[in-house]
Amino acid sequence: MPNWLKNAVFYEIYPQTFYDSNGDGIGDIQGIESKLDYVKSLGCNAIWLNPIYDSPFMDAGYDVRNYYKVAERYGTNDDLKHLFETAHEKGIRILLDLVPGHTSDQNEWFLNSKKAEKNQYSNRYIWTDSVWEAPPQYKFICGVTDRDGNYLVNFFSSQPALNYGFNNISHPAWQLPPTHPDCQATVEALKDIMRFWLDMGCDGFRVDMADSLVKNEDGEKPETCKIWRNVREMLDREYPEAAIISEWCNPKVAIGAGFHSDFYLDHDNNGYRLLFREKDRQTGECQAIFGKNGKGDITRFLEEYTDDLKATKGKGYISFITCNHDTPRMTKMFTPLEAKIAYSFVFLMPGVPFLYYGDEIGMRFIDGLNSKEGGYSRTGTRTPMQWDDSKNHGFSDADEELLYLPVDHSADAPTVASQESDPASILNTIRKVIAIRKENEDLQSDGDFEVVYAKKNTYPFIFKRGQFLIAVNPSDKEQTAPFDFECEPVFTIGKICAAKKELTMLPQSLGLLKIK
Ligand code: NOJ
């Protein structure tokens, strides 16, 4: 386990819309480099950079054309190397985004694979053995190549699935076992890509759709796990300081497979959704635990989370996120105060937390935008960072029509500049919480988590982390709970009063208390 993860706080940067240094309307690597001090000022000591590889951008870069080359619009490989170096000088680590499950259909491997003549890459992707063969349980692209066969896609139609083999083989004519030399060659190619960027100075990878490698396997995905354990062994041997964090959302399995941390994502009916994004399907009414109408049920979240936490303790982490580039920003449903309490909670939980760019100022989800580069309903979460009140909120000098996406045009759009001087702003609140976390081991990735007060459909929720108690009352009503601690407040949002035998929390409050 890389030691630095114990006290890591990540900032996710969507390179397209973070900072445009050359006035072409799109963010770039030099822009990111010029904002490293800002990232540091938040208390973040690590960055997850969404894909920066050469790509036709049918899925915003998750369709990789060349794994070894930075996309021109972001700069050059040398710019990226420089970013790694400068970040390291400032004590910041950088994870790149690794896309192991699929490539762009313009990737050189695929261009060879689709040729009628057999070649070294024929089995790099998954092809049926004739165009008339397309079993309905798979997503195939049919009849568009010289090669007589249909190819399987992993996500959008432009993203053919790489071939790591099949666990249960139902069509032996074209489904290979994971042990087949051509499937093993895909694994080796993946490891070579990792080595290339690690040698250049990156600190590891966020791994896209990490569970999607071997096909036809359910549940615990044993063959996919074998591949990741093999990758992890390589890292432990050759790059012991490198971290891999999975997009899997099944920490028991992902950590068992060798990931250092697994993301807790916004999935149907899961604990993360219950915390921050649950709503009534018919009426749209907020039912999230952190909603001020107080309709959530903390016990449903805890059922899932404490079980996962127990199973992974000491082996790997669960990563809470404020949001990511695939998820509606919390402010889509929450007011700034609701979001402030929710974000603070994220940084007070165990595991390695992630702050999505712009959440620290309460940037909004922008409704009604045309889809950009395969964003569709995700596009409103990916708009330009709002630095100040200058042109394009300081994101870019370009004319508005050249911008990758429009900026938030509302008159009260939050900006970094407007929040800097307000001690109660979301920005300064998050800075405070992260600073306290970073100074106190009990509040960091490995610190314990113990439920003190959690009752069905009831607020507040109180938990203990070593010498600290954290009490949250996101609801807009005063709430009380039995309380038997002597403590002093370290950080609060709203008002709370810890008296003998009872804790009273005013509406929409959060308290971090130190036990005396
Ligand atoms: C998950 C990524 O986060 C998302 O943005 C992308 O579209 C898909 N995987 C496909 O790579």
Side-chain angles (χ1 to χ4, degrees):
M1 173 70 70
N3 212 36
W4 60 272
L5 284 178
K6 288 180 189 299
N7 198 9
V9 177
F10 273 86
Y11 191 67
E12 180 189 345
I13 293 184
Y14 203 61
Q16 290 89 318
T17 48
F18 192 57
Y19 186 61
D20 170 18
S21 74
N22 61 359
D24 63 357
I26 188 157
D28 46 54
I29 292 172
Q30 291 192 3
I32 295 168
E33 187 168 328
S34 69
K35 295 292 185 186
L36 287 175
D37 286 334
Y38 170 75
V39 173
K40 203 169 172 184
S41 83
L42 300 171
C44 294
N45 50 13
I47 288 171
W48 155 27
L49 200 52
N50 290 99
I52 36 70
Y53 315 105
D54 175 54
S55 164
F57 296 106
M58 298 299 287
D59 183 15
Y62 283 95
D63 47 329
V64 181
R65 182 164 47 203
N66 184 344
Y67 281 108
Y68 291 95
K69 185 173 181 284
V70 165
E72 257 167 52
R73 70 188 200 182
Y74 299 133
T76 63
N77 284 19
D78 281 345
D79 290 335
L80 188 59
K81 185 166 190 251
H82 200 264
L83 175 70
F84 294 147
E85 287 162 3
T86 315
H88 292 162
E89 278 162 23
K90 294 177 189 290
I92 298 173
R93 316 249 176 181
I94 299 189
L95 299 192
L96 294 181
D97 213 316
L98 183 70
V99 189
H102 47 269
T103 66
S104 154
D105 56 7
Q106 295 183 23
N107 188 293
E108 199 60 37
W109 294 343
F110 188 73
L111 299 181
N112 282 305
S113 195
K114 73 178 189 180
K115 287 182 182 157
E117 307 75 43
K118 243 194 161 347
N119 63 69
Q120 173 190 0
Y121 297 103
S122 297
N123 279 335
R124 181 57 49 95
Y125 299 82
I126 300 167
W127 294 85
T128 61
D129 56 350
S130 112
V131 286
W132 314 119
E133 165 91 352
Q137 65 268 39
Y138 303 103
K139 209 165 135 192
F140 284 115
I141 302 296
C142 304
V144 297
T145 61
D146 289 345
R147 178 170 174 170
D148 183 8
N150 301 316
Y151 62 90
L152 194 95
V153 300
N154 219 28
F155 198 69
F156 289 150
S157 296
S158 58
Q159 292 163 307
L162 283 163
N163 195 358
Y164 295 91
F166 284 70
N167 184 338
N168 298 300
I169 295 185
S170 52
H171 296 73
W174 53 271
Q175 297 178 343
L176 304 178
T179 47
H180 189 282
D182 291 345
C183 300
Q184 298 281 310
T186 311
V187 178
E188 292 311 312
L190 176 71
K191 291 198 295 201
D192 284 345
I193 294 164
M194 296 173 82
R195 289 188 182 102
F196 177 80
W197 295 108
L198 289 165
D199 287 341
M200 190 183 281
C202 99
D203 298 286
F205 302 91
R206 172 267 186 186
V207 179
D208 185 72
M209 292 173 66
D211 65 331
S212 74
L213 306 193
V214 176
K215 305 304 180 199
N216 258 7
E217 60 170 0
D218 299 321
E220 308 218 331
K221 308 210 168 181
E223 291 296 329
T224 298
C225 290
K226 260 189 218 162
I227 294 175
W228 289 119
R229 270 194 290 272
N230 171 320
V231 169
R232 171 68 185 267
E233 278 163 24
M234 179 278 279
L235 291 178
D236 286 351
R237 233 182 3 254
E238 298 173 31
Y239 305 92
E241 281 294 287
I244 44 172
I245 304 191
S246 48
E247 184 196 26
W248 197 314
C249 202
N250 188 342
K252 282 183 205 155
V253 177
I255 302 302
F259 284 96
H260 298 105
S261 188
D262 183 39
F263 282 106
Y264 206 10
L265 298 167
D266 182 36
H267 284 186
D268 260 359
N269 292 323
N270 78 344
Y272 182 83
R273 165 93 41 107
L274 292 172
L275 287 173
F276 305 125
R277 288 178 176 82
E278 183 75 353
K279 42 184 173 185
D280 184 286
R281 268 163 216 245
Q282 250 109 57
T283 62
E285 184 194 34
C286 174
Q287 298 193 327
I289 292 157
F290 279 82
K292 68 175 187 298
N293 61 359
K295 295 259 161 100
D297 180 0
I298 193 71
T299 61
R300 286 178 64 202
F301 157 73
L302 287 171
E303 244 168 60
E304 177 180 280
Y305 175 69
T306 46
D307 187 46
D308 282 338
L309 186 67
K310 209 166 123 203
T312 52
K313 184 117 182 99
K315 301 179 195 139
Y317 302 117
I318 298 171
S319 280
F320 278 86
I321 58 172
T322 59
C323 186
N324 69 19
H325 62 288
D326 293 331
T327 309
R329 290 195 191 263
M330 284 197 208
T331 47
K332 187 163 197 248
M333 186 162 76
F334 284 175
T335 63
L337 178 55
E338 285 172 296
K340 184 156 72 167
I341 296 171
Y343 296 155
S344 301
F345 171 83
V346 164
F347 298 107
L348 292 170
M349 291 297 278
V352 181
F354 280 69
L355 172 61
Y356 183 56
Y357 85 95
D359 279 348
E360 71 275 21
I361 54 170
M363 261 175 70
R364 298 176 184 135
F365 178 91
I366 308 299
D367 275 314
L369 296 177
N370 287 338
S371 175
K372 180 80 179 179
E373 298 185 345
Y376 301 99
S377 61
R378 309 173 290 185
T379 306
T381 287
R382 302 174 173 183
T383 57
M385 178 67 180
Q386 294 153 207
W387 296 102
D388 55 37
D389 283 339
S390 65
K391 184 176 174 186
N392 301 322
H393 286 309
F395 159 66
S396 167
D397 278 345
D399 289 344
E400 208 183 331
E401 59 279 9
L402 284 179
L403 296 187
Y404 179 81
L405 279 171
V407 295
D408 181 351
H409 286 297
S410 28
D412 60 349
T415 64
V416 173
S418 65
Q419 296 204 1
E420 282 286 2
S421 53
D422 172 6
S425 64
I426 302 191
L427 177 64
N428 285 322
T429 303
I430 285 187
R431 280 181 172 146
K432 249 177 259 162
V433 178
I434 293 178
I436 298 169
R437 176 188 177 103
K438 298 229 340 261
E439 278 157 20
N440 292 284
E441 217 178 313
D442 283 349
L443 297 174
Q444 294 163 14
S445 312
D446 285 315
D448 283 341
F449 173 88
E450 197 185 312
V451 175
V452 171
Y453 182 81
K455 295 265 177 298
K456 201 166 178 46
N457 297 322
T458 301
Y459 293 78
F461 166 45
I462 309 175
F463 58 103
K464 185 169 169 287
R465 301 201 60 204
Q467 280 304 295
F468 294 91
L469 284 172
I470 294 120
V472 285
N473 172 24
S475 84
D476 60 6
K477 302 203 175 39
E478 184 175 309
Q479 308 282 0
T480 57
F483 194 71
D484 208 6
F485 297 92
E486 256 201 67
C487 39
E488 59 188 4
V490 177
F491 164 82
T492 48
I493 297 174
K495 285 216 164 77
I496 69 170
C497 171
K500 255 205 186 128
K501 304 276 180 221
E502 192 167 78
L503 178 75
T504 304
M505 301 193 71
L506 265 62
Q508 298 194 274
S509 56
L510 175 149
L512 172 66
L513 311 166
K514 187 153 193 198
I515 301 168
K516 282 190 192 157

